[in-house]
Amino acid sequence: MLAEIVENKPINKVLYSLWVKVEEAYKLPLPGQFFLLYIDNVFLGRPLTPVDVSKTHIRFIYIVKGRGTLYLSGLTEGKIRIEGPFGKGIVPEKDKILLIAGGVGIAPLIYLMRFHESKHTDLLYGVKNVSELLSESEYMYYLNNSLIITEDGSKGKKGLVTHYIKEEDYDEFFVCGPLGMLKTIQQMDFKKPVYLFLEDMMGCAQGLCNGCAVKSVNGGYIRTCIKGPVFETREIIL
Amino acid sequence: MNEEVLYSECCGVFFKNPVLLASGTFGLGDLFPDVISSAGGFITKALSLNPIEGNPPPRLYDDRCYLINSVGLENPGVDYFIDNILDKIPEDSNLIVNIVGKTVNEYELVAKKLDGIERISAVEINLSCPNTRREIPARSAQLTEKILSSVRNSINKPIWAKLSPNYVDVFKITQASVKAGADAVVIFNTFYGMAIDVYSKRRILGAGSGGVSSPGFKPFNMYTIYEIKRRFDISVIASGGVRNGRDVLEYIMSGASLVEIGSINLVEPKAVFRILNEILELIKKLNIKNFDEINLED
Ligand SMILES: Cc1cc2nc3c(=O)[nH]c(=O)nc-3n(C[C@H](O)[C@H](O)[C@H](O)COP(=O)(O)OP(=O)(O)OC[C@H]3O[C@@H](n4cnc5c(N)ncnc54)[C@H](O)[C@@H]3O)c2cc1C
Ligand SMILES: Cc1cc2nc3c(=O)[nH]c(=O)nc-3n(C[C@H](O)[C@H](O)[C@H](O)COP(=O)(O)O)c2cc1C
């Protein structure tokens, strides 16, 4: 479907906020589901998760990672092709949940918070430096507690998010961030459900090409696009 | 789509239109039944005797004008396909099964398992996958002939030899294919290629290299098809770089009987609908009554 770029601007040193207006009816996504954005200078669609949606608008928060997102960050108006939502979504079911975000990994977790508004939601949010933080006003409304952790101590606690997780306080965990962080959390071997949001490269996103492979604990690879992109940590090998 | 003007024929098999969904770009056939039904035919991902795990990620790299894939022939094996997938594939379109083997014998064994299945219209022999560690069979005329002969001697279905553009004299390979009794050659599978990340000074794809597909290869393929048709009496099926209906007609005018669409499916799974409409519009403009009429002027 075609969408009109309504706003696309930096909101801090690394993050961009993109609002698009969708020109036809589309299926509202569940948390974890994603859209593909077709950007002129690359062939495949680039996956982004919504942070906010309405019947007519979708908002994304993204970082410039490579060629596609760099090009995207330069667009301020015009139309862009968007398809989706793709992937399997996940809605939190337990009472007390902890969201663990690294960097732009906050994006899908902000969208997930809305689906848990009436229950207890805490957030651990880690970035390298205070300049990369998303403003608290973007998400505090949905939360009970949040803890900011910066690697250099420029705001909040100093260090890595993985040092601040208290397993005993929660029923379920939702994690999105860089691969190293996901791996560390996987190794912590929690007894409770831990859902990892993968952000690797996508191909067709619809199960056709086997381009987005992730190792399954049952041997072989599975397709992130249709089996994920959210996996319980015991399902996959990172 | 069922429009008489699009009716096509290849190796004695009827196709309601000349557009096929290329191997590896449309899964095993259990997704998008409406698209498969509309295409002239659907070609499965490569199937092997035993399951193949495939290459480590990342498996794809792209740019504006090309895609590199190194899926590494991941597939659940031919038996799984026959037992669990076959019945889910729409029956109103031709089914072509793409097969691959580690040895000559494996090609033969896989082909034999398919020969008795009535609804399979043809077997496409993948002699050209560039993203495994093994040598591409279609780089050797001898090996090509050996594989195709052994399949030819063990099955009755039409066999299509999918050839490689990589560092070969394709006319020698075509000759070997004709000699072995192949019914058609498919021109071409992907080109060797790799991608580099200048910041980390590393190769990006998990397997190091992969197969490149691109509209930029279309002119080379068209010329190759034209020359093969001039030199040999064999059907040719085109594969490479199709984005729209005009590309399909260009391939047909170059001498192809059928045309595969591959990478475009990854960004537009319903591309076949658009492409068929574009072909129809174009042949109306050109006042073409049926596909047999399409010949190049001298
Ligand atoms: C389901 C899902 C949801 C996502 N949601 C978001 C989101 O909400 N916000 C967000 O910011 N991002 C998100 N991402 C990540 C985002 O899609 C990528 O950052 C984006 O696709 C990168 O595209 P690009 O063209 O800018 O980068 P590219 O130029 O394509 O570069 C990135 C890719 O190139 C290769 N590559 C480049 N450099 C290296 C290197 N140094 N070493 C190894 N390989 C390298 C890798 O294959 C890598 O994936 C999501 C990803 C997925 C799968
Ligand atoms: C992701 C991907 C997977 C592929 N897998 C196979 C395969 O299993 N067997 C095969 O013969 N060709 C395979 N191919 C090659 C295509 O069938 C096709 O010949 C090639 O991509 C050129 O056509 P295109 O330019 O339309 O993509 C694959 C291509 C892609 C992009």
Side-chain angles (χ1 to χ4, degrees):
Chain A
M1 59 192 176
L2 277 183
E4 177 92 37
I5 295 173
V6 178
E7 184 187 89
N8 186 21
K9 58 167 201 210
I11 46 178
N12 65 25
K13 211 181 102 198
V14 294
L15 297 176
Y16 285 77
S17 167
L18 167 66
W19 272 108
V20 297
K21 183 168 184 287
V22 185
E23 297 193 340
E24 52 192 277
Y26 71 102
K27 214 169 127 241
L28 290 179
L30 289 170
Q33 288 190 305
F34 62 95
F35 291 86
L36 287 181
L37 283 73
Y38 290 89
I39 303 162
D40 271 351
N41 73 328
V42 282
F43 180 66
L44 297 167
R46 293 308 195 245
L48 293 179
T49 38
V51 289
D52 197 356
V53 298
S54 72
K55 275 198 176 128
T56 52
H57 287 74
I58 311 175
R59 183 190 182 205
F60 302 98
I61 290 178
Y62 66 95
I63 54 164
V64 171
K65 170 98 180 282
R67 297 148 304 139
T69 45
L70 180 64
Y71 191 92
L72 177 67
S73 69
L75 304 175
T76 49
E77 56 177 22
K79 298 223 194 300
I80 183 166
R81 188 179 148 222
I82 292 184
E83 301 293 344
F86 297 121
K88 284 206 297 206
I90 184 161
V91 178
E93 286 172 358
K94 307 276 168 59
D95 285 334
K96 287 192 80 178
I97 67 170
L98 179 65
L99 314 179
I100 307 168
V104 73
I106 186 91
L109 299 179
I110 292 181
Y111 189 62
L112 181 137
M113 290 172 196
R114 296 160 202 271
F115 291 74
H116 201 254
E117 221 183 305
S118 56
K119 296 180 187 157
H120 187 102
T121 316
D122 288 351
L123 170 73
L124 287 181
Y125 177 22
V127 292
K128 286 203 179 67
N129 174 273
V130 59
S131 62
E132 301 173 11
L133 270 178
L134 190 65
S135 150
E136 286 191 6
S137 61
E138 297 263 13
Y139 54 79
M140 264 325 279
Y141 174 79
Y142 303 100
L143 293 178
N144 295 81
N145 307 295
S146 77
L147 182 63
I148 286 167
I149 301 125
T150 51
E151 280 179 32
D152 61 2
S154 50
K155 181 156 183 193
K157 301 275 189 197
K158 182 174 172 171
L160 300 171
V161 280
T162 44
H163 294 149
Y164 295 89
I165 307 171
K166 291 199 193 110
E167 189 189 0
E168 60 280 11
D169 290 353
Y170 302 96
D171 307 319
E172 268 184 333
F173 301 85
F174 297 85
V175 190
C176 188
L179 185 62
M181 182 183 126
L182 301 188
K183 276 187 177 165
T184 307
I185 289 174
Q186 200 172 42
Q187 280 154 16
M188 292 165 95
D189 203 18
F190 292 158
K191 301 288 163 295
K192 295 175 186 155
V194 177
Y195 296 99
L196 306 178
F197 290 56
L198 301 196
E199 298 213 315
D200 295 335
M201 177 139 196
M202 278 292 160
C204 66
Q206 303 182 71
L208 297 172
C209 74
N210 289 43
C212 58
V214 60
K215 270 237 138 112
S216 156
V217 289
N218 300 321
Y221 289 98
I222 46 180
R223 288 165 286 184
T224 308
C225 66
I226 55 174
K227 300 287 176 190
V230 185
F231 292 97
E232 210 287 321
T233 177
R234 278 149 283 239
E235 294 175 306
I236 52 168
I237 303 167
L238 291 176
Chain B
M1 188 169 298
N2 206 343
E3 295 272 350
E4 227 167 282
V5 45
L6 295 179
Y7 285 0
S8 304
E9 187 268 340
C10 184
C11 321
V13 180
F14 168 76
F15 291 80
K16 63 181 180 247
N17 66 63
V19 180
L20 314 178
L21 301 161
S23 177
T25 64
F26 224 76
L28 292 174
D30 52 346
L31 298 166
F32 293 97
D34 55 329
V35 178
I36 291 179
S37 291
S38 298
F42 156 74
I43 309 171
T44 66
K45 173 78 193 160
L47 292 169
S48 48
L49 190 59
N50 299 306
I52 297 180
E53 185 169 286
N55 287 335
R59 288 177 170 186
L60 299 171
Y61 182 83
D62 66 343
D63 203 287
R64 184 194 295 267
C65 59
Y66 64 80
L67 173 69
I68 316 181
N69 86 84
S70 91
V71 173
L73 298 176
E74 178 181 354
N75 81 89
V78 66
D79 289 329
Y80 181 91
F81 171 79
I82 293 171
D83 295 340
N84 300 288
I85 309 285
L86 192 62
D87 286 344
K88 297 181 187 152
I89 305 174
E91 299 204 17
D92 47 0
S93 165
N94 286 297
L95 170 62
I96 296 99
V97 178
N98 182 285
I99 69 167
V100 74
K102 284 207 242 0
T103 59
V104 176
N105 190 241
E106 277 192 20
Y107 276 100
E108 187 183 322
L109 289 174
V110 179
K112 274 185 177 156
K113 283 173 189 275
L114 301 166
D115 201 36
I117 300 170
E118 200 187 325
R119 54 157 316 196
I120 296 174
S121 304
V123 178
E124 185 178 66
I125 320 286
N126 183 354
L127 302 167
S128 45
C129 177
N131 59 47
T132 67
R133 281 179 196 288
R134 261 167 282 117
E135 183 66 88
I136 291 176
R139 286 187 54 199
S140 150
Q142 220 184 346
L143 192 52
T144 298
E145 192 181 327
K146 232 173 159 177
I147 294 171
L148 294 175
S149 299
S150 83
V151 174
R152 175 72 300 159
N153 292 331
S154 45
I155 72 169
N156 289 315
K157 291 194 188 295
I159 59 179
W160 301 355
K162 190 160 178 185
L163 302 190
S164 170
N166 292 307
Y167 318 126
V168 294
D169 180 342
V170 70
F171 305 114
K172 286 207 177 111
I173 308 296
T174 304
Q175 184 155 38
S177 307
V178 173
K179 200 166 151 214
D183 299 278
V185 288
V186 182
I187 304 297
F188 272 129
N189 207 318
T190 47
F191 287 64
Y192 279 135
M194 66 182 201
I196 286 178
D197 177 45
V198 292
Y199 299 102
S200 62
K201 305 197 186 97
R202 288 210 164 85
R203 296 197 290 169
I204 290 176
L205 292 167
S209 61
V212 188
S213 49
S214 164
F217 295 137
K218 196 189 67 180
F220 178 76
N221 293 2
M222 282 167 49
Y223 174 70
T224 309
I225 291 168
Y226 180 81
E227 282 296 312
I228 288 176
K229 287 306 285 185
R230 204 168 63 77
R231 299 177 194 204
F232 300 94
D233 182 21
I234 191 166
S235 299
V236 181
I237 294 151
S239 167
V242 173
R243 294 288 180 270
N244 55 49
R246 203 179 88 176
D247 295 334
V248 172
L249 274 198
E250 286 178 18
Y251 268 134
I252 301 269
M253 289 184 185
S254 304
S257 306
L258 303 167
V259 180
E260 302 185 1
I261 62 170
S263 305
I264 188 74
N265 298 317
L266 270 52
V267 295
E268 196 189 340
K270 300 193 169 178
V272 75
F273 295 118
R274 171 179 61 78
I275 288 174
L276 288 172
N277 280 325
E278 288 165 353
I279 298 174
L280 281 176
E281 258 171 55
L282 206 60
I283 56 185
K284 208 178 194 177
K285 246 189 231 159
L286 293 169
N287 208 16
I288 292 168
K289 297 283 182 301
N290 69 62
F291 258 64
D292 294 343
E293 272 180 39
I294 305 182
N295 282 314
L296 269 192
E297 305 286 326
D298 286 330

